Amino acid sequence: MLGIDLSYFDGLFEARRLGLVSDHVHLGLFADAVQGQTLAMAQDEMSMHHLRHLEVSEGGHVVDVGCGFGGTLRRLDQQSGGLSLTGVNVDPRQIEIARRGIWRSPVDWLLCDAAAFSNNRQRWADAILSLEAMFHFPDLAGFFAASAQALRRGGRMVASTILFGSGAEPASVAVVCAGFGPWPRPDLGLTELCGVAESAGLDVLHVEDLAPRCLQSFDWMCPHCPEKVTDNPVTELRRLFESGAASYPLLVLAPQDQERATA
Ligand SMILES: C[S@@+](CC[C@H](N)C(=O)[O-])C[C@H]1O[C@@H](n2cnc3c(N)ncnc32)[C@H](O)[C@@H]1O
């Protein structure tokens, strides 16, 4: 697995084999006005929300970096054929699951780190997605540089992650990072994240925080938080979301104008 320990996935493979989890490994996006939403429905909405921002055009080449079990790529494949798709992951076990079944569009599966997905290739992707995966990446600058290199002119990128604010309870953050590691930069803030993307050659067009709409996800995953910090990473992530100390930024990015970027 390219030397990366993603042991929180071990239980997910068994749950997946038993049909207990879908092919979305991310929080759900709930809407206040909609009654009877399940976690699965909200996870699908989270994928669709990212895809709406991505504005994929017919015939485009779409890359999903940190693609998990391929849920969002498959959603896209179901709604529009005639695309070229690439799924990127460091974990061969996830790629093996993601590639199963029928795909309408051709899919390349790349087993590599997020910073290495575009090695030796320039301007070949129309859209790059990364849903709830960047907090794992050991080389964020390399990931954004690879994305800037891969995107064609007029291309677009949508990337989301989880960040902790300065008021986050350190003991909770430690439990979350141990349980959902690797999490190399728990201290990373939004300003620095956007700065890293801009230094790599991407303009940040839009930022939104989806955290308030993710909260209901935890009702499906764990009991309410007890007063004292626990050793359960899901409970502690819930505590950080509920206290407002965790955010879930979604960034929409585009390659900087070449002349301006090199000026
Ligand atoms: C929380 S899961 C999200 C999966 C998927 N995006 C989804 O929404 O279902 C995080 C994903 O990032 C992948 N990942 C972790 N470190 C990575 C790295 N260095 N490069 C590429 N992918 C990585 C994991 O294997 C996992 O698939």
Side-chain angles (χ1 to χ4, degrees), residues 1-2 4 6 8-9 23-27 46-47 64-72 88-91 94 112-115 129-139 182 248:
M1 201 158 34
L2 303 178
I4 292 182
L6 281 163
Y8 78 91
F9 262 88
D23 51 10
H24 294 286
V25 190
H26 54 79
L27 295 173
M46 180 66 91
S47 287
D64 184 353
V65 185
C67 62
F69 297 149
T72 304
V88 179
N89 212 312
V90 272
D91 183 354
Q94 293 177 52
C112 64
D113 180 79
L129 171 75
S130 182
L131 199 168
E132 207 180 297
M134 284 192 293
F135 60 85
H136 283 310
F137 298 170
D139 180 7
Y248 193 116

Side-chain angles (χ1 to χ4, degrees), residues 50 53-54 63 65 117 126-130 134 137 143-148 151 154-160 197 202-203 205-206 250-255:
H50 282 66
H53 276 298
L54 204 56
V63 187
V65 185
F117 80 90
D126 300 289
I128 296 174
L129 171 75
S130 182
M134 284 192 293
F137 298 170
F143 164 59
F144 283 124
S147 302
L151 276 174
R156 189 173 265 246
M157 175 171 181
V158 174
S160 60
L202 297 163
D203 279 333
L205 307 181
H206 172 75
L250 175 151
L251 274 53
V252 181
L253 307 127

Side-chain angles (χ1 to χ4, degrees), residues 42 44 77 117 121 127 134 143 146 199 214 226 237:
D44 186 58
D77 187 58
F117 80 90
R121 298 173 76 193
M134 284 192 293
F143 164 59
S199 300
C214 295
L237 189 60

Side-chain angles (χ1 to χ4, degrees), residues 6-251:
L6 281 163
S7 40
Y8 78 91
F9 262 88
D10 293 348
L12 286 171
F13 291 118
E14 181 60 5
R16 173 84 191 157
R17 199 181 59 76
L18 297 171
L20 301 176
V21 291
S22 73
D23 51 10
H24 294 286
V25 190
H26 54 79
L27 295 173
L29 190 66
F30 289 81
D32 284 346
V34 182
Q35 296 292 311
Q37 292 166 97
T38 62
L39 178 60
M41 289 160 71
Q43 286 175 312
D44 186 58
E45 178 55 21
M46 180 66 91
S47 287
M48 289 304 299
H49 191 75
H50 282 66
L51 291 175
R52 282 191 291 270
H53 276 298
L54 204 56
E55 296 179 356
V56 174
S57 310
E58 213 184 312
H61 194 150
V62 184
V63 187
D64 184 353
V65 185
C67 62
F69 297 149
T72 304
L73 272 187
R74 194 174 286 282
R75 192 70 172 80
L76 181 63
D77 187 58
Q78 283 163 352
Q79 73 181 29
S80 35
L83 300 168
S84 297
L85 305 176
T86 297
V88 179
N89 212 312
V90 272
D91 183 354
R93 305 168 303 170
Q94 293 177 52
I95 289 185
E96 193 217 304
I97 290 172
R99 72 190 324 155
R100 285 181 197 154
I102 294 169
W103 288 86
R104 296 167 67 194
S105 294
V107 196
D108 277 340
W109 299 103
L110 300 185
L111 177 64
C112 64
D113 180 79
F117 80 90
S118 190
N119 278 354
N120 306 319
R121 298 173 76 193
Q122 309 256 357
R123 317 253 167 271
W124 54 277
D126 300 289
I128 296 174
L129 171 75
S130 182
L131 199 168
E132 207 180 297
M134 284 192 293
F135 60 85
H136 283 310
F137 298 170
D139 180 7
L140 262 183
F143 164 59
F144 283 124
S147 302
Q149 178 186 327
L151 276 174
R152 293 197 175 106
R153 265 171 187 258
R156 189 173 265 246
M157 175 171 181
V158 174
S160 60
T161 192
I162 296 171
L163 300 177
F164 305 122
S166 53
E169 165 60 49
S172 295
V173 172
V175 170
V176 170
C177 293
F180 292 121
W183 201 307
R185 288 289 314 276
D187 59 319
L188 185 73
L190 183 60
T191 306
E192 184 182 347
L193 178 68
C194 292
V196 174
E198 281 165 353
S199 300
L202 297 163
D203 279 333
V204 180
L205 307 181
H206 172 75
V207 180
E208 61 190 46
D209 180 15
L210 303 178
R213 294 184 58 193
C214 295
L215 270 176
Q216 277 187 58
S217 307
F218 294 102
D219 293 341
W220 298 80
M221 298 191 290
C222 64
H224 286 288
C225 300
E227 205 174 307
K228 284 196 176 153
V229 173
T230 67
D231 59 3
N232 184 325
V234 185
T235 304
E236 295 316 310
L237 189 60
R238 177 176 199 158
R239 191 189 306 279
L240 291 164
F241 269 78
E242 284 182 349
S243 67
S247 61
Y248 193 116
L250 175 151
L251 274 53

